[in-house]
Amino acid sequence: MTKQGVVVPVPAEAAVAMPPNSAPLFPYPPPRAAAPGAAVRKKYLQMGAGNGAGARPGGWVESMRASSPTHARAAAALAAGVDEDRRAAWMVEHPSALSKFDQVVAASKGKQIVVFLDYDGTLSPIVDDPDAAYMSDTMRRAVRSVAKHFPTAIVSGRCRDKVFEFVKLAELYYAGSHGMDIKGPAKGSRHTRAAKAKGVLFQPASQFLPMIEQVHESLVEKTKSIPGAKVENNKFCVSVHFRCVDEKSWSALADMVKSVLKDYPKLKLTQGRMVFEVRPTIKWDKGKALEFLLESLGFADCADVLPVYIGDDRTDEDAFKVLRRRGQGVGILVSKHPKETSASYSLQEPAEVMEFLLRLVEWERLSKARPKW
Ligand SMILES: O=P(O)(O)OC[C@H]1O[C@H](O[C@H]2O[C@H](CO)[C@@H](O)[C@H](O)[C@H]2O)[C@H](O)[C@@H](O)[C@@H]1O
């Protein structure tokens, strides 16, 4: 069923650029560090790094509001009253991956499905306390079944160890810190020869570790005065949560984060669901991680693979865009509301993600049992 992976020698320049603790098993051009200094930082601080925040006066706060569930609900209610057609039109553009299940699997004919799953908001429901974002046992069973049939990776903004603590499945690939920390299955993979090696595969931002530590400390110190603010160390990036911060303090919090980042021109600021994300300015994201993993599995520039990526956040858009660019694969956005996205399909919530995963497993079981004539 699976395609055998091919280990290609690492080009000398890539091997040199790789951090000492990453096994040079898989070739990949090392990410280019963005031009150091003001230009890059200015762009991210002013433009809001892809989310448009900051381009207008008060842009960050506006953007923070847009990611608030209360505001999203109010906006959704308004939109429902005013323009029910908008949602219907969005669903035509991004139909449910459940109702179009046959179409999704038909695309996999003669191809190896590889499954990529975001964690928060995809496998676990969004909750106030990031340390309590547990995944249900039923979801874990579903993911375990998927991994028995298809190579499966978790791609998360979280620190890799933390997301592993939640998922607890040793047979998966894990790409933590928005793809900047990639590791293969603890026991090696049953799916490909290339992935039999265990351990850390790639850490393209390892030189940023001391800087991230410093920024983490500064952010903890600086934001202490804002009740509800929570700073999370995600190893190669830092999250500053404002889900539990009074809206009146959002502007002050955004200013604090920006003032800390002034001293770190090699870090950029982006925004997720009620969270600021501080990340190195290297050109590496969930999309690059997806491509790296496909390559590691032996599917570089290959037509007989169907990557299926499921995610709910802005950072998942980088992966959806890669699928669009390759003209290959299935991007599924998890969202109850119409959102601008490069995904092709949608699912409303983690419960639907589970249903989709279980159907995929069932379909694979039946297709193996089906006589081939
Ligand atoms: O890429 P992901 O796996 O989706 O990680 C993105 C961020 O997820 C977490 O924050 C989000 O979920 C929390 C728990 O439900 C919620 O409280 C928070 O408001 C959300 O933004 C995680 O804590 C972050 O570090 C990740 O970057």
Side-chain angles (χ1 to χ4, degrees):
M1 177 197 77
T2 57
K3 178 179 169 69
Q4 291 295 298
V6 180
V7 182
V8 185
V10 184
E13 66 279 16
V16 169
M18 283 170 93
N21 56 347
S22 73
L25 293 168
F26 304 107
Y28 210 87
R32 278 181 292 131
V40 171
R41 176 170 53 93
K42 204 168 156 206
K43 178 177 158 221
Y44 278 103
L45 290 180
Q46 289 187 347
M47 299 306 294
N51 60 23
R56 313 165 292 280
W60 276 109
V61 174
E62 250 175 63
S63 177
M64 289 162 91
R65 281 203 189 103
S67 79
S68 141
T70 322
H71 286 276
R73 266 198 301 275
L78 185 69
V82 173
D83 191 2
E84 184 52 41
D85 291 348
R86 196 177 146 240
R87 184 175 154 72
W90 190 81
M91 287 303 292
V92 171
E93 290 286 310
H94 311 284
S96 161
L98 283 169
S99 61
K100 296 284 179 190
F101 184 80
D102 292 345
Q103 189 177 306
V104 172
V105 291
S108 76
K109 198 156 187 262
K111 297 180 181 180
Q112 169 66 57
I113 291 178
V114 181
V115 178
F116 296 88
L117 300 164
D118 166 55
Y119 183 73
D120 290 279
T122 297
L123 297 181
S124 68
I126 293 292
V127 293
D128 283 350
D129 179 2
D131 293 332
Y134 302 110
M135 175 179 168
S136 67
D137 287 340
T138 45
M139 181 66 97
R140 187 170 296 104
R141 277 198 290 276
V143 176
R144 181 182 287 131
S145 306
V146 166
K148 277 191 187 136
H149 296 279
F150 314 105
T152 303
I154 305 291
V155 186
S156 172
R158 295 222 186 219
C159 157
R160 180 167 50 75
D161 290 346
K162 182 80 190 178
V163 80
F164 179 76
E165 266 175 42
F166 281 132
V167 178
K168 296 191 179 84
L169 295 172
E171 56 271 51
L172 309 183
Y173 290 81
Y174 287 86
S177 307
H178 297 290
M180 288 182 281
D181 190 4
I182 303 182
K183 196 172 178 200
K187 293 180 190 150
S189 171
R190 58 208 294 275
H191 292 289
T192 78
R193 199 176 55 212
K196 270 195 180 128
K198 308 178 222 169
V200 173
L201 303 183
F202 201 43
Q203 291 184 332
S206 58
Q207 72 271 31
F208 285 89
L209 268 183
M211 193 185 285
I212 293 287
E213 279 293 329
Q214 271 180 19
V215 162
H216 173 252
E217 272 173 37
S218 306
L219 287 169
V220 169
E221 194 49 44
K222 194 99 179 182
T223 60
K224 256 183 193 161
S225 57
I226 306 239
K230 184 174 171 91
V231 182
E232 189 183 1
N233 188 338
N234 284 332
K235 190 163 181 175
F236 296 107
C237 42
V238 179
S239 293
V240 181
H241 293 271
F242 54 88
R243 186 170 292 277
C244 298
V245 173
D246 188 304
E247 200 176 320
K248 290 191 196 84
S249 303
W250 286 0
S251 172
L253 181 66
D255 287 345
M256 279 174 188
V257 174
K258 281 191 281 179
S259 81
V260 169
L261 284 195
K262 270 197 193 110
D263 298 330
Y264 297 92
K266 290 190 177 174
L267 300 180
K268 67 185 178 189
L269 184 58
T270 59
Q271 204 191 305
R273 294 178 73 168
M274 308 283 284
V275 69
F276 288 123
E277 314 262 21
V278 176
R279 299 155 66 172
T281 52
I282 59 168
K283 290 189 187 303
W284 197 265
D285 52 36
K286 288 182 172 185
K288 297 273 189 202
L290 177 148
E291 290 194 299
F292 175 86
L293 282 163
L294 285 178
E295 189 164 339
S296 304
L297 287 160
F299 294 113
D301 303 321
C302 182
D304 53 1
V305 62
L306 187 86
V308 174
Y309 188 106
I310 312 182
D312 73 314
D313 212 344
R314 285 175 186 166
T315 55
D316 298 308
E317 292 297 328
D318 294 318
F320 297 145
K321 280 184 195 136
V322 164
L323 298 183
R324 287 251 172 206
R325 178 170 49 71
R326 292 168 70 111
Q328 180 186 49
V330 176
I332 305 175
L333 176 72
V334 184
S335 177
K336 283 192 159 114
H337 309 297
K339 271 186 192 169
E340 201 180 314
T341 181
S342 297
S344 309
Y345 295 91
S346 63
L347 289 169
Q348 295 215 14
E349 55 195 347
E352 285 200 358
V353 173
M354 187 165 82
E355 200 182 329
F356 177 83
L357 296 178
L358 291 172
R359 275 183 77 173
L360 200 59
V361 168
E362 197 48 28
W363 168 83
E364 175 69 5
R365 271 200 205 119
L366 291 174
S367 63
K368 272 188 187 157
R370 221 173 277 136
K372 308 243 184 304
W373 62 71

PDB file of all heavy atoms in Angstrom, residues 98 101 139 142 350-360:
ATOM      1  N   LEU A  98     -17.392  15.958   4.633  1.00  0.00           N
ATOM      2  CA  LEU A  98     -18.212  14.774   4.922  1.00  0.00           C
ATOM      3  C   LEU A  98     -19.226  14.563   3.820  1.00  0.00           C
ATOM      4  O   LEU A  98     -19.373  13.457   3.287  1.00  0.00           O
ATOM      5  CB  LEU A  98     -18.915  14.944   6.271  1.00  0.00           C
ATOM      6  CG  LEU A  98     -18.035  14.724   7.495  1.00  0.00           C
ATOM      7  CD1 LEU A  98     -18.756  15.169   8.766  1.00  0.00           C
ATOM      8  CD2 LEU A  98     -17.604  13.267   7.605  1.00  0.00           C
ATOM      9  N   PHE A 101     -17.517  13.363   0.766  1.00  0.00           N
ATOM     10  CA  PHE A 101     -16.502  12.363   1.088  1.00  0.00           C
ATOM     11  C   PHE A 101     -16.097  11.530  -0.144  1.00  0.00           C
ATOM     12  O   PHE A 101     -14.912  11.273  -0.379  1.00  0.00           O
ATOM     13  CB  PHE A 101     -17.013  11.448   2.216  1.00  0.00           C
ATOM     14  CG  PHE A 101     -15.980  10.467   2.669  1.00  0.00           C
ATOM     15  CD1 PHE A 101     -14.973  10.860   3.540  1.00  0.00           C
ATOM     16  CD2 PHE A 101     -15.986   9.160   2.207  1.00  0.00           C
ATOM     17  CE1 PHE A 101     -13.990   9.964   3.930  1.00  0.00           C
ATOM     18  CE2 PHE A 101     -15.015   8.263   2.598  1.00  0.00           C
ATOM     19  CZ  PHE A 101     -14.005   8.662   3.471  1.00  0.00           C
ATOM     20  N   MET A 139     -11.213  10.542  20.107  1.00  0.00           N
ATOM     21  CA  MET A 139     -10.435  11.182  19.033  1.00  0.00           C
ATOM     22  C   MET A 139      -9.078  10.484  18.911  1.00  0.00           C
ATOM     23  O   MET A 139      -8.586  10.228  17.816  1.00  0.00           O
ATOM     24  CB  MET A 139     -10.260  12.669  19.334  1.00  0.00           C
ATOM     25  CG  MET A 139      -9.488  13.413  18.270  1.00  0.00           C
ATOM     26  SD  MET A 139     -10.360  13.489  16.683  1.00  0.00           S
ATOM     27  CE  MET A 139     -11.124  15.111  16.801  1.00  0.00           C
ATOM     28  N   ALA A 142      -9.389   7.370  17.048  1.00  0.00           N
ATOM     29  CA  ALA A 142      -9.590   7.633  15.611  1.00  0.00           C
ATOM     30  C   ALA A 142      -8.249   7.944  14.936  1.00  0.00           C
ATOM     31  O   ALA A 142      -7.943   7.414  13.864  1.00  0.00           O
ATOM     32  CB  ALA A 142     -10.566   8.798  15.423  1.00  0.00           C
ATOM     33  N   PRO A 350     -14.168  19.859  15.759  1.00  0.00           N
ATOM     34  CA  PRO A 350     -13.414  18.618  15.960  1.00  0.00           C
ATOM     35  C   PRO A 350     -14.282  17.346  15.868  1.00  0.00           C
ATOM     36  O   PRO A 350     -13.811  16.319  15.360  1.00  0.00           O
ATOM     37  CB  PRO A 350     -12.810  18.792  17.353  1.00  0.00           C
ATOM     38  CG  PRO A 350     -12.615  20.283  17.467  1.00  0.00           C
ATOM     39  CD  PRO A 350     -13.800  20.894  16.763  1.00  0.00           C
ATOM     40  N   ALA A 351     -15.543  17.420  16.307  1.00  0.00           N
ATOM     41  CA  ALA A 351     -16.396  16.207  16.222  1.00  0.00           C
ATOM     42  C   ALA A 351     -16.530  15.771  14.764  1.00  0.00           C
ATOM     43  O   ALA A 351     -16.525  14.563  14.453  1.00  0.00           O
ATOM     44  CB  ALA A 351     -17.768  16.500  16.823  1.00  0.00           C
ATOM     45  N   GLU A 352     -16.631  16.718  13.855  1.00  0.00           N
ATOM     46  CA  GLU A 352     -16.729  16.359  12.430  1.00  0.00           C
ATOM     47  C   GLU A 352     -15.385  15.860  11.891  1.00  0.00           C
ATOM     48  O   GLU A 352     -15.348  15.014  11.004  1.00  0.00           O
ATOM     49  CB  GLU A 352     -17.200  17.568  11.607  1.00  0.00           C
ATOM     50  CG  GLU A 352     -18.676  17.852  11.774  1.00  0.00           C
ATOM     51  CD  GLU A 352     -19.260  18.710  10.634  1.00  0.00           C
ATOM     52  OE1 GLU A 352     -18.530  19.128   9.720  1.00  0.00           O
ATOM     53  OE2 GLU A 352     -20.465  18.943  10.695  1.00  0.00           O
ATOM     54  N   VAL A 353     -14.304  16.401  12.457  1.00  0.00           N
ATOM     55  CA  VAL A 353     -12.972  15.908  12.050  1.00  0.00           C
ATOM     56  C   VAL A 353     -12.888  14.424  12.389  1.00  0.00           C
ATOM     57  O   VAL A 353     -12.451  13.601  11.578  1.00  0.00           O
ATOM     58  CB  VAL A 353     -11.845  16.697  12.766  1.00  0.00           C
ATOM     59  CG1 VAL A 353     -10.484  16.082  12.473  1.00  0.00           C
ATOM     60  CG2 VAL A 353     -11.867  18.171  12.346  1.00  0.00           C
ATOM     61  N   MET A 354     -13.356  14.077  13.594  1.00  0.00           N
ATOM     62  CA  MET A 354     -13.295  12.676  14.015  1.00  0.00           C
ATOM     63  C   MET A 354     -14.132  11.797  13.082  1.00  0.00           C
ATOM     64  O   MET A 354     -13.698  10.717  12.664  1.00  0.00           O
ATOM     65  CB  MET A 354     -13.770  12.544  15.455  1.00  0.00           C
ATOM     66  CG  MET A 354     -13.586  11.156  16.004  1.00  0.00           C
ATOM     67  SD  MET A 354     -13.754  11.146  17.774  1.00  0.00           S
ATOM     68  CE  MET A 354     -15.507  11.081  17.914  1.00  0.00           C
ATOM     69  N   GLU A 355     -15.317  12.292  12.764  1.00  0.00           N
ATOM     70  CA  GLU A 355     -16.197  11.524  11.869  1.00  0.00           C
ATOM     71  C   GLU A 355     -15.515  11.308  10.509  1.00  0.00           C
ATOM     72  O   GLU A 355     -15.533  10.200   9.955  1.00  0.00           O
ATOM     73  CB  GLU A 355     -17.504  12.307  11.677  1.00  0.00           C
ATOM     74  CG  GLU A 355     -18.653  11.460  11.200  1.00  0.00           C
ATOM     75  CD  GLU A 355     -19.905  12.311  10.972  1.00  0.00           C
ATOM     76  OE1 GLU A 355     -20.104  13.321  11.672  1.00  0.00           O
ATOM     77  OE2 GLU A 355     -20.678  11.935  10.056  1.00  0.00           O
ATOM     78  N   PHE A 356     -14.870  12.364  10.020  1.00  0.00           N
ATOM     79  CA  PHE A 356     -14.180  12.265   8.732  1.00  0.00           C
ATOM     80  C   PHE A 356     -13.051  11.220   8.810  1.00  0.00           C
ATOM     81  O   PHE A 356     -12.895  10.377   7.921  1.00  0.00           O
ATOM     82  CB  PHE A 356     -13.619  13.638   8.335  1.00  0.00           C
ATOM     83  CG  PHE A 356     -12.831  13.623   7.064  1.00  0.00           C
ATOM     84  CD1 PHE A 356     -13.462  13.700   5.825  1.00  0.00           C
ATOM     85  CD2 PHE A 356     -11.445  13.505   7.087  1.00  0.00           C
ATOM     86  CE1 PHE A 356     -12.726  13.661   4.641  1.00  0.00           C
ATOM     87  CE2 PHE A 356     -10.699  13.469   5.918  1.00  0.00           C
ATOM     88  CZ  PHE A 356     -11.347  13.545   4.686  1.00  0.00           C
ATOM     89  N   LEU A 357     -12.260  11.279   9.902  1.00  0.00           N
ATOM     90  CA  LEU A 357     -11.135  10.348  10.042  1.00  0.00           C
ATOM     91  C   LEU A 357     -11.631   8.909  10.107  1.00  0.00           C
ATOM     92  O   LEU A 357     -11.056   8.001   9.480  1.00  0.00           O
ATOM     93  CB  LEU A 357     -10.314  10.686  11.297  1.00  0.00           C
ATOM     94  CG  LEU A 357      -9.617  12.060  11.297  1.00  0.00           C
ATOM     95  CD1 LEU A 357      -8.879  12.301  12.612  1.00  0.00           C
ATOM     96  CD2 LEU A 357      -8.645  12.197  10.114  1.00  0.00           C
ATOM     97  N   LEU A 358     -12.722   8.689  10.845  1.00  0.00           N
ATOM     98  CA  LEU A 358     -13.252   7.328  10.965  1.00  0.00           C
ATOM     99  C   LEU A 358     -13.777   6.827   9.623  1.00  0.00           C
ATOM    100  O   LEU A 358     -13.605   5.655   9.270  1.00  0.00           O
ATOM    101  CB  LEU A 358     -14.357   7.282  12.036  1.00  0.00           C
ATOM    102  CG  LEU A 358     -13.836   7.489  13.465  1.00  0.00           C
ATOM    103  CD1 LEU A 358     -14.989   7.619  14.454  1.00  0.00           C
ATOM    104  CD2 LEU A 358     -12.903   6.347  13.883  1.00  0.00           C
ATOM    105  N   ARG A 359     -14.382   7.729   8.848  1.00  0.00           N
ATOM    106  CA  ARG A 359     -14.871   7.319   7.521  1.00  0.00           C
ATOM    107  C   ARG A 359     -13.712   6.961   6.602  1.00  0.00           C
ATOM    108  O   ARG A 359     -13.796   6.021   5.808  1.00  0.00           O
ATOM    109  CB  ARG A 359     -15.715   8.434   6.891  1.00  0.00           C
ATOM    110  CG  ARG A 359     -17.150   8.357   7.370  1.00  0.00           C
ATOM    111  CD  ARG A 359     -18.009   9.383   6.718  1.00  0.00           C
ATOM    112  NE  ARG A 359     -18.383   9.032   5.347  1.00  0.00           N
ATOM    113  CZ  ARG A 359     -19.237   9.730   4.624  1.00  0.00           C
ATOM    114  NH1 ARG A 359     -19.803  10.795   5.140  1.00  0.00           N
ATOM    115  NH2 ARG A 359     -19.534   9.374   3.404  1.00  0.00           N
ATOM    116  N   LEU A 360     -12.626   7.717   6.753  1.00  0.00           N
ATOM    117  CA  LEU A 360     -11.450   7.447   5.929  1.00  0.00           C
ATOM    118  C   LEU A 360     -10.902   6.047   6.229  1.00  0.00           C
ATOM    119  O   LEU A 360     -10.556   5.281   5.320  1.00  0.00           O
ATOM    120  CB  LEU A 360     -10.387   8.518   6.243  1.00  0.00           C
ATOM    121  CG  LEU A 360      -9.276   8.761   5.251  1.00  0.00           C
ATOM    122  CD1 LEU A 360      -9.842   9.166   3.890  1.00  0.00           C
ATOM    123  CD2 LEU A 360      -8.349   9.863   5.779  1.00  0.00           C
TER     124      LEU A 360
END
